[in-house]
């Protein structure tokens, strides 16, 4: 037989694209269209309905950036269309090949009822099937003209990322608004051809099935009357029916399709636009559920549901109905799909708590899995926290973006730092916007790593980010691929069903231990530093407000615990931990609003804490310690005078002038407090840090060396830092001044100022306090660089085989060598409040109050000694998608802690991030809880969310070893229970045998424990 593949494939392609596809709509009549441009921000339907409209002509430009145009569309179905399927077809002038953020619209009836959205790949609104003819159609269409920030492929900065800079030139040209007849036979023929063509070209040339399909397509083209596509479509489908009916091989891979619409809660659009995106997509989804009984849609992010509930009650009611029918599956159990590295431990717990509670309360559904396809790496604390929230599985996708190493598994057990394992899947289709194309189906099978162990994978399908979600075309593809030879078998089902089947067939799946590190997007640990600082401050202020509100609720008559305010503030902070806000990868508008929100949150939380402390009664200045560790340190009082205070963990003490063992000496460029001696060189770096307790020099080079690197990644500017950044840099070694600025016996300080680059300045105050070996670097930067990153390095004379970085409820160890490509790929990593390096008998910690990115490297010197260098990433200057990212003022503190073990790092990490508070108060009561025993750390103290008055305490083991201790309460204790994160009882806690009602605690390494403490009769 002659090889005619090229002729046949080209024939099918042309006939399909040029003749069949244009014939899907058999007849059309245009709508009569009028328009009204809403001024400023979006308006209500009622305001739009009452607005003055003017005639609008097709092919007319419309829509300034971030604007809203309302269109009134009127039409009448022709009488001759009776018995046919009639739809409205609307093309707002869609651009590019990404169906996400651009022109989008929500179609309403004239009474305000939302019907369905219009998106680039979902342009129809069903009107009648069948039509009676003569129907009048009257719509009000809310159209958003969002700029396509991706239009230039991130090649250059754009002003479009903020309404303040985007201008007002219309972005889109309205192409079509018609009533049309859908020719269902032609439409189905179009889908038959697409599925078979794509299957054919992805089968091997040696496969008989490929040739069988090819010749069937050739015969089908012979059966098609090019002059009567509609009339011959049924006959053509009959020719194709036999090849579409051939069943899949018995061993064919099974793909569980799950409808999905990944909607970033903010990214290349502001939060206000996400509220509308959700309404549009969810309208589409509920409409599709009415058309397809076998359709199932999985949707995460309780925050987005709440927006729809509050702003689109009609859509909310339809969602509730779809959930009852089993077609809508709430998943994820988190408030938003948060970043996987940067939120604190308690914040991730609250993400799970608030998300799961929302779905239980509003749908009676307890979600079983964590759904996080798009976050930029995942903390090793997740398995334990997920399980403690009642989850059974974990789903992610983003690791497929790895730059260097291919992740070895798709179905596996993920083991966290405490030993907890959770069943995890990583879809081999490598997308969370699948459409069941031939290329995707082929990739899913080829890519699947568990062949021979498992036989199934999951594929989330649908267009995200304003693309409209799943479509009827995708559902039709799924139906054709349900049992088709040459293809994996596709079944649309709930993700819980997939995970149950996958776990049943592969219970002994391989184990991955530790963090899921994404070998890409490493700059998200640093970009938009003010957003990250706002998050860090908010997390610690929330901790503080909850602790002192609990104290006041227990001991202050008339005080009411602020349940509603704390709930609302937590949700605000959780929203801004979304995986494009907190990582710093959103447009300028998003980060401008985030900074304002953090300022508002801080102001309100400060007020709540002040109210709680004031409720305890006035009596004189006292010092309040929110940290879980006892404190003895120097603080500055209200008038700036240093004072040395000693305060118990989670408690308070009078403001007195206690005496430290030895005063601080500050002369020339030397600071000495009897514990450490710090020498500052003429160039402003540290020439020596001598640990007087251990009689050893800490540094092996210039300490606090500020290095300015060129930072232009290959593609994703705000997201990425590529390894070549290390090759070009300037050391900041020419200070404007170096001067002693404090010689107080309690506090010595040297100030170093520098000017550099394009008008940037940095002022650092190097501070040593009496009684503490910690050296603080109070930093004030006025930053005006572009495509640069500033690092602060500490070369330490330690041979450290690994570094330890704090993560949520513990820490991870990472090798300091680069033996393998996996280790080499970790050239930039994330940590929370501290990084520790050590050798037997000695360690050093680098502590921070708001930075996350860092690198640790190791070299051997000519004298045979080893230098381990820790470098903090202080600030970046990406220009895409926000051209002004990080420009301006930054204030933060980082510290060097010589002679530190892990326990010291934990304590000082809390101390730096939870400054002591001085307030006027009477003799405060005992701490709500106190802990006897090393290694057990109190993370949260609050009243139970059910408003029962029970006290909830969250503890964890913080050193990485076993811990035993006794939790004592500052109130009468009637009973205690161990609970899950949602404060539901798991078991009774062991009361200590000494009769005082304390709770005995035994923890495995990094175990998280939540205790619910019932108050005795004399407690309030």
């Amino acid at each position: 037989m002659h090889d005619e593949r090229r002729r046949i494939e080209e024939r099918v392609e042309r006939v399909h694209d040029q003749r069949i596809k244009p014939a899907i709509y058999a007849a059309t009549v245009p709508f009569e269209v009028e328009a009204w441009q809403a001024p400023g921000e979006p308006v209500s339907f009622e305001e739009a309905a009452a607005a003055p409209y003017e005639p609008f002509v097709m092919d007319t430009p419309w829509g300034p950036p971030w604007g809203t145009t309302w269109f009134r569309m009127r039409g009448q179905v022709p009488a001759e269309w009776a018995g046919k399927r009639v739809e409205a077809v609307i093309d707002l002038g869609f651009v590019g090949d990404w169906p996400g953020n651009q022109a989008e619209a929500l179609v309403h009836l004239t009474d305000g009822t939302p019907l369905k959205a219009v998106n680039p790949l979902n342009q129809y609104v069903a009107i009648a099937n069948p039509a009676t003819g003569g129907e009048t159609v009257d719509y009000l269409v809310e159209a958003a003209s969002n700029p396509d920030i991706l239009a230039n492929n991130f090649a250059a900065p754009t002003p479009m990322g903020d309404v303040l800079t985007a201008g007002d030139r219309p972005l889109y040209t309205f192409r079509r608004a018609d009533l049309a007849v859908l020719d269902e036979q032609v439409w189905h023929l179009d889908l038959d051809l697409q599925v078979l063509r794509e299957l054919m070209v992805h089968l091997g040339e040696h496969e008989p099935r490929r040739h069988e399909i090819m010749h069937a397509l050739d015969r089908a083209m012979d059966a098609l009357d090019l002059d009567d596509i509609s009339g011959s479509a049924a006959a053509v489908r009959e020719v194709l029916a036999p090849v579409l009916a051939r069943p899949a091989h018995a061993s064919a891979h099974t793909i569980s399709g799950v409808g999905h619409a990944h909607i970033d809660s903010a990214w290349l659009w502001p939060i206000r636009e996400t509220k509308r995106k959700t309404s549009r997509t969810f309208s589409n989804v509920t409409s599709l559920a009415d058309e397809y009984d076998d359709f199932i849609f999985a949707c995460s992010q309780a925050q987005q549901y709440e927006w729809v509930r509050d702003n689109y009650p009609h859509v909310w009611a339809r969602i509730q109905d779809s959930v009852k029918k089993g077609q809508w599956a709430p998943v994820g159990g988190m408030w938003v799909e948060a970043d996987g590295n940067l939120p604190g431990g308690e914040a991730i717990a609250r993400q799970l708590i608030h998300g799961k509670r929302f779905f239980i309360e509003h749908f009676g559904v307890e979600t079983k899995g964590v759904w996080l396809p798009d976050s930029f790496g995942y903390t090793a604390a997740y398995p334990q926290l997920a399980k403690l929230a009642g989850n059974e599985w974990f789903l992610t996708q983003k690791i497929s973006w790895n730059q260097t190493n291919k992740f070895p598994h798709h179905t596996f057990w993920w083991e966290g730092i405490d030993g907890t394992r959770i069943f995890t899947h990583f879809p081999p289709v490598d997308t969370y916007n699948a459409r069941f194309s031939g290329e995707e189906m082929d990739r899913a099978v080829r890519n699947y790593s568990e062949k021979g162990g498992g036989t199934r994978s999951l594929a989330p399908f649908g267009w995200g980010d304003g693309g409209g979600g799943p479509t009827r075309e995708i559902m039709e593809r799924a139906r054709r691929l349900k049992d088709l030879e040459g293809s994996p078998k596709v079944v649309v089902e709930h993700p819980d069903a997939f995970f149950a089947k996958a776990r049943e067939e592969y219970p002994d799946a391989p184990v991955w231990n530790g963090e899921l590190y994404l070998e890409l997007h490493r700059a998200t640990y640093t970009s938009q530093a003010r957003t990250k600082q706002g998050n860090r401050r908010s997390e610690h202020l929330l901790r503080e407000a909850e602790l002192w509100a609990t104290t006041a609720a227990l001991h202050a008559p008339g005080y009411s615990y602020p349940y509603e305010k704390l709930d609302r503030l937590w949700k605000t902070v959780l929203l801004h931990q979304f995986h494009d806000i907190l990582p710093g990868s959103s447009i300028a508008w998003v980060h401008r609003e985030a900074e304002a929100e953090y300022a508002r949150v801080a102001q309100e939380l400060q007020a709540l804490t002040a109210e709680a402390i004031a409720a305890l009664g006035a009596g004189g200045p006292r010092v309040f310690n929110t940290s879980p560790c006892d404190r003895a340190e120097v603080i500055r009082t209200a008038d700036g005078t240093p004072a040395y205070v000693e305060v118990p963990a989670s408690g308070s003490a009078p403001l007195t002038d206690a005496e430290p063992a030895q005063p601080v000496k500050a002369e020339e460029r030397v600071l000495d407090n009897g514990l450490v001696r710090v020498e500052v060189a003429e160039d402003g770096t540290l020439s020596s840090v001598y640990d007087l307790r251990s009689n050893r020099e800490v540094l092996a080079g210039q300490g606090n060396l500020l290095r300015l690197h060129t930072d232009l990644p290959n593609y994703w500017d705000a997201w990425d830092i590529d390894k070549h950044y290390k090759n070009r840099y300037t050391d900041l070694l020419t200070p404007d001044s170096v001067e002693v600025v404090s010689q107080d016996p309690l506090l010595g300080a040297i100030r170093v100022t520098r000017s550099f680059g394009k008008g940037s300045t940095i002022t650092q105050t190097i501070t040593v306090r009496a009684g503490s070996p910690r050296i603080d670097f109070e930093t004030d930067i006025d930053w005006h660089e572009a495509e640069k990153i500033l690092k602060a390095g500490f070369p330490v004379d330690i041979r450290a085989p690994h570094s330890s970085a704090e993560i949520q409820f513990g820490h991870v160890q990472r090798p300091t060598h680069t033996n393998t490509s996996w280790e080499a790929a970790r050239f930039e990593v994330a940590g929370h409040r501290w990084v520790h390096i050590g050798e037997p008998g000695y360690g050093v910690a680098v502590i921070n109050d708001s930075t996350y990115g860092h690198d640790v490297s190791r070299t051997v010197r000519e004298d045979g000694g080893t230098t381990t260098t820790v470098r903090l990433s202080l600030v970046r200057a990406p220009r895409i998608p926000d051209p002004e990212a990080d420009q301006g003022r930054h204030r933060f503190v980082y510290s060097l802690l010589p002679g530190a073990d892990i326990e010291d790092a934990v304590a000082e990490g809390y101390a730096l991030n939870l400054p002591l508070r001085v307030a006027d108060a009477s003799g405060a009561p005992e701490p709500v809880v106190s802990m006897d025993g090393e290694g057990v750390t109190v993370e949260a103290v609050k009243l139970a969310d059910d408003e029962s008055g029970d006290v909830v305490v969250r503890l964890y083991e913080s050193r990485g070893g076993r811990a035993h201790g006794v939790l004592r309460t500052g109130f009468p204790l009637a009973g205690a229970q161990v609970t899950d994160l949602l404060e539901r009882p798991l078991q009774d806690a062991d009361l200590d045998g000494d009769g005082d009602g304390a709770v005995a605690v035994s923890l495995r390494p990094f175990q998280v424990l939540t205790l619910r403490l019932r108050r005795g009769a004399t407690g309030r």
Side-chain angles (χ1 to χ4, degrees):
M1 183 180 292
H2 300 299
D3 185 355
E4 293 197 278
R5 285 174 300 172
R6 180 175 177 181
R7 175 190 65 80
I8 295 172
E9 291 173 8
E10 289 178 350
R11 179 191 188 193
V12 173
E13 182 179 14
R14 180 175 186 185
V15 171
H16 171 261
D17 294 352
Q18 296 183 12
R19 300 301 175 88
I20 295 173
K21 214 161 187 63
I24 288 174
Y25 285 105
T28 63
V29 294
F31 275 103
E32 183 180 296
V33 181
E34 296 176 306
W36 173 68
Q37 176 67 47
E41 287 296 285
V43 301
S44 67
F45 175 86
E46 290 72 22
E47 183 176 343
Y53 285 75
E54 297 180 353
F56 185 88
V57 178
M58 288 298 101
D59 294 321
T60 298
W62 70 279
W66 306 114
T68 302
T69 305
W70 285 80
F71 295 99
R72 183 181 293 279
M73 299 182 184
R74 294 188 176 96
Q76 188 171 37
V77 178
E80 60 268 24
W81 289 4
K84 298 181 179 180
R85 183 168 179 168
V86 178
E87 300 178 344
V89 182
I90 301 168
D91 182 347
L92 297 169
F94 306 113
V95 299
D97 59 0
W98 181 44
N101 192 53
Q102 50 169 292
E104 308 168 40
L106 182 60
V107 179
H108 301 76
L109 294 176
T110 53
D111 65 359
T113 303
L115 285 181
K116 184 180 173 294
V118 175
N119 312 90
L121 297 175
N122 198 340
Q123 299 181 16
Y124 76 96
V125 179
I127 292 174
N129 184 26
T132 59
E135 294 98 328
T136 298
V137 181
D138 195 347
Y139 291 151
L140 273 174
V141 180
E142 181 192 29
S145 48
N146 300 327
D148 183 1
I149 305 295
L150 290 178
N152 64 0
N153 203 30
F154 283 173
T158 172
M160 290 294 181
D162 197 327
V163 69
L164 302 179
T165 58
D168 58 5
R169 182 179 64 83
L171 296 176
Y172 299 100
T173 300
F174 206 138
R175 299 298 185 192
R176 179 181 187 183
D178 294 333
L179 288 166
V181 174
L182 179 71
D183 190 320
E184 295 188 67
Q185 283 290 354
V186 176
W187 181 67
H188 279 291
L189 174 58
D190 167 66
L191 288 159
D192 292 344
L193 287 172
Q194 287 187 51
V195 169
L196 288 171
R197 282 176 62 196
E198 292 173 7
L199 173 60
M200 175 184 68
V201 299
H202 285 96
L203 288 169
E205 294 182 1
H206 63 286
E207 294 281 351
R209 176 65 166 160
R210 174 170 181 155
H211 296 270
E212 178 189 36
I213 294 172
M214 180 180 67
H215 288 287
L217 289 172
D218 200 28
R219 292 192 300 273
M221 295 301 96
D222 292 339
L224 183 68
D225 184 345
L226 296 179
D227 296 320
D228 186 8
I229 302 293
S230 178
S232 59
V236 178
R237 295 194 70 209
E238 288 182 11
V239 174
L240 296 175
V243 289
L244 282 167
R246 291 283 293 273
H249 297 303
S251 61
H253 185 77
T254 299
I255 293 178
S256 296
V258 181
H260 184 232
H262 180 80
I263 302 178
D264 288 314
S265 290
W267 180 29
L268 305 179
W269 50 88
I271 286 172
R272 71 92 149 140
E273 196 57 31
T274 313
K275 296 177 181 179
R276 301 201 293 176
K277 285 179 182 289
T278 53
S279 69
R280 299 176 197 127
T281 293
F282 294 174
S283 297
N284 288 353
V285 169
T286 52
S287 296
L288 193 63
D290 291 338
E291 287 189 68
Y292 290 87
D293 292 338
D294 54 339
F295 173 61
I296 294 177
F297 178 72
C299 185
S300 65
Q301 304 197 78
Q303 171 70 88
Q304 295 184 2
Y305 287 76
E306 186 177 79
W307 285 333
V308 173
R309 182 198 68 189
D310 294 346
N311 298 294
Y312 297 89
H314 289 94
V315 180
W316 173 248
R318 286 158 60 180
I319 292 172
Q320 290 181 307
D321 186 55
S322 290
V323 172
K324 290 176 184 176
K325 292 178 180 178
Q327 291 186 279
W328 186 296
V331 294
M334 296 180 71
W335 192 246
V336 295
E337 290 185 13
D339 180 78
N341 289 307
L342 307 181
E346 189 60 25
I348 290 184
R350 302 300 176 98
Q351 289 281 359
L352 293 161
I353 291 165
H354 283 292
K356 292 202 67 155
R357 281 219 184 105
F358 184 92
F359 295 135
I360 291 170
E361 176 183 350
H362 293 285
F363 302 118
V365 172
E366 178 158 1
T367 55
K368 294 183 179 180
V370 178
W371 182 280
L372 271 180
D374 190 33
S375 194
F376 310 144
Y378 305 90
T379 170
Y382 252 128
Q384 180 180 198
L385 295 175
K387 294 296 285 288
L388 286 173
N391 291 295
E392 300 173 0
W393 54 260
F394 192 99
L395 178 135
T396 178
Q397 175 66 65
K398 199 72 172 191
I399 303 297
S400 67
W401 288 40
N402 268 8
Q403 197 173 42
T404 305
N405 299 285
K406 178 179 169 57
F407 192 78
H409 309 300
H410 287 102
T411 299
F412 57 100
W413 290 96
W414 182 17
E415 182 176 313
I417 53 173
D418 72 310
T420 299
R421 292 180 179 179
I422 191 165
F423 195 72
T424 302
H425 184 66
F426 166 38
V429 71
D430 279 359
T431 181
Y432 40 80
N433 297 309
R435 62 183 185 89
F436 298 130
S437 68
E439 190 274 333
E440 289 171 348
M441 298 299 91
D442 178 63
R443 179 171 66 241
V445 175
R446 282 188 293 103
N447 202 23
Y448 184 59
S449 298
E450 269 56 62
K451 296 181 185 74
T455 64
R456 60 185 67 243
S457 64
L458 185 144
F461 66 87
W463 306 110
D465 286 337
T471 65
R472 60 187 180 184
E473 288 79 12
I474 301 177
M475 280 300 296
E476 290 293 336
R477 284 173 170 269
R479 286 181 168 183
R480 285 161 174 78
L481 295 171
K482 183 176 181 179
D483 192 12
L484 182 62
E485 183 187 357
S487 171
K489 293 179 285 188
V490 172
V491 55
V492 177
E493 62 181 348
H494 195 294
D496 286 348
F498 161 77
F499 275 95
K501 294 172 185 175
R503 180 171 175 173
E504 182 180 7
E505 76 168 3
Y506 202 19
D508 58 344
V511 176
W512 181 269
N513 182 277
E515 65 184 331
L516 293 175
Y517 176 85
L518 176 63
E519 295 176 358
L520 199 72
H521 293 0
R522 303 168 181 90
T524 58
Y525 318 145
T526 305
S527 296
Q528 298 285 5
R530 283 183 292 268
T531 296
K532 291 174 170 58
Q533 186 175 67
N535 175 74
R536 180 78 71 86
R537 294 284 185 274
S538 296
E539 289 180 348
H540 289 82
L541 286 169
L542 280 161
R543 175 198 179 103
E544 188 175 26
E546 286 184 338
L547 173 64
W548 300 116
T550 302
T551 305
L554 292 173
H555 299 290
Y559 177 82
S560 295
Y561 190 84
Y563 291 101
E564 183 279 329
K565 291 180 179 178
L566 287 169
D567 181 81
R568 173 173 46 79
L569 290 165
W570 260 115
K571 288 175 179 175
T572 299
V573 174
L574 298 180
L575 165 60
H576 288 85
Q577 291 176 343
F578 179 75
H579 65 252
D580 277 304
I581 303 178
L582 182 52
S585 48
S586 291
I587 56 173
W589 191 346
V590 173
H591 292 288
R592 171 168 57 82
E593 290 189 332
E595 291 175 32
E597 278 292 276
Y598 284 131
R600 184 189 63 78
V601 166
Q603 183 178 26
E604 193 167 351
L605 286 171
Q606 293 279 15
L608 287 179
T609 298
E611 289 169 11
I613 290 175
L616 296 172
R622 290 184 70 85
V623 183
F624 290 80
N625 173 21
T626 308
S627 165
C629 307
D630 295 339
R631 307 268 285 273
E633 62 185 73
V634 174
I635 63 169
R636 287 191 182 274
T637 58
D639 62 1
T641 304
Y644 185 80
V645 296
E646 296 177 352
V647 197
S650 304
S652 70
L655 178 60
T656 59
D657 288 326
E659 289 294 330
Q662 188 169 334
V664 180
K665 296 179 181 178
E667 46 194 23
E668 295 186 352
R669 295 192 304 275
V670 179
L671 304 172
D672 188 332
N673 67 356
L675 302 175
V676 292
R677 185 175 66 244
V678 179
E679 298 180 13
V680 179
E682 291 184 3
D683 61 16
T685 64
L686 305 188
S687 57
S688 173
V689 173
Y690 198 82
D691 188 337
L692 297 167
R693 300 162 301 170
S694 300
N695 293 318
R696 66 180 286 169
E697 174 61 47
V698 174
L699 298 179
Q702 294 167 299
N704 193 40
L705 175 63
L706 299 175
R707 179 167 285 180
L708 186 68
H709 292 266
T710 296
D711 180 22
L712 182 66
N714 291 345
Y715 188 57
W716 300 88
D717 291 40
W719 293 255
D720 286 352
I721 179 170
D722 284 333
K723 202 168 188 176
H724 52 252
Y725 88 92
K726 294 184 177 182
N727 300 335
R728 189 173 181 85
Y729 58 84
T730 300
D731 290 339
L732 305 186
L733 296 175
T734 310
D736 299 333
S737 63
V738 180
E739 58 181 331
V740 175
V741 292
S742 175
Q743 293 180 304
D744 190 279
L746 294 179
L747 187 151
I750 296 172
R751 181 170 298 152
V752 181
T753 60
R754 304 178 190 275
S755 303
F756 62 95
K758 298 181 179 180
S760 299
T761 61
I762 181 168
T763 300
Q764 290 195 300
T765 304
I766 305 166
T767 304
V768 171
R769 293 171 173 83
S772 173
R774 197 181 84 196
I775 306 155
D776 291 345
F777 300 84
E778 300 169 39
T779 303
D780 187 333
I781 302 178
D782 189 13
W783 180 251
H784 299 286
E785 304 309 298
E787 296 170 350
K788 298 287 191 295
I789 183 170
L790 182 65
K791 292 234 175 194
F794 292 94
V796 180
D797 189 8
I798 281 178
R799 183 170 177 79
H802 60 259
S803 64
S804 299
E806 186 190 37
I807 63 168
Q808 301 83 353
F809 296 111
H811 59 266
V812 292
Q813 294 182 342
R814 301 178 177 111
T816 54
H817 58 74
T818 54
N819 282 355
T820 71
S821 58
W822 294 88
E823 291 144 1
R826 285 178 168 85
F827 58 83
E828 182 81 1
V829 290
H832 283 205
R833 289 170 291 215
W834 52 266
V835 181
H836 181 271
I837 55 173
E839 61 189 20
Y842 196 80
V844 170
V846 178
I847 301 165
N848 71 84
D849 73 351
S850 58
T851 63
Y852 296 86
H854 64 276
D855 67 85
V856 182
S857 60
R858 194 176 73 182
T859 59
V860 176
R861 305 187 299 272
E862 291 185 2
D863 65 3
T866 299
T867 300
T868 303
T869 301
V870 178
R871 300 199 309 158
L872 297 181
S873 300
L874 302 183
V875 64
R876 293 187 74 232
R879 302 179 67 207
I880 301 170
D882 175 5
E884 299 297 317
D886 282 313
Q887 298 299 297
R889 206 69 174 269
H890 300 269
R891 296 183 179 89
F892 50 85
V893 181
Y894 57 90
S895 307
L896 183 70
L897 185 64
D901 58 18
I902 294 293
E903 196 164 11
D904 296 326
V906 171
E908 291 299 325
Y910 277 112
L912 186 64
N913 283 270
L914 290 165
L916 295 172
R917 176 184 289 265
V918 179
D920 182 65
S922 62
E926 291 295 312
V928 176
V929 294
S930 57
M931 197 70 228
D932 294 340
E934 296 181 349
V936 183
T937 300
V938 176
E939 179 62 17
V941 178
K942 59 189 284 294
L943 290 192
D945 292 339
D946 62 6
E947 302 189 23
S948 63
D950 291 351
V951 175
V952 172
V953 180
R954 194 137 32 241
L955 318 162
Y956 72 104
E957 194 291 312
S958 58
R959 297 183 302 178
R962 295 195 176 273
H964 306 279
V966 177
L967 181 90
R968 304 189 186 280
T969 64
F971 57 90
L973 180 64
Q977 291 178 316
V978 177
T979 74
D980 66 5
L981 291 184
L982 278 71
E983 301 170 10
R984 299 176 296 195
L986 297 176
Q987 65 188 55
D988 289 336
D990 293 328
L991 296 183
D992 191 55
D994 61 9
D996 65 356
V999 182
V1001 175
S1002 294
L1003 299 178
R1004 67 179 180 270
F1006 299 129
Q1007 182 181 354
V1008 176
L1009 183 70
T1010 303
L1011 294 174
R1012 186 179 182 120
L1013 309 176
R1014 191 169 72 255
R1015 293 149 61 183
T1018 59
R1020 286 191 60 253

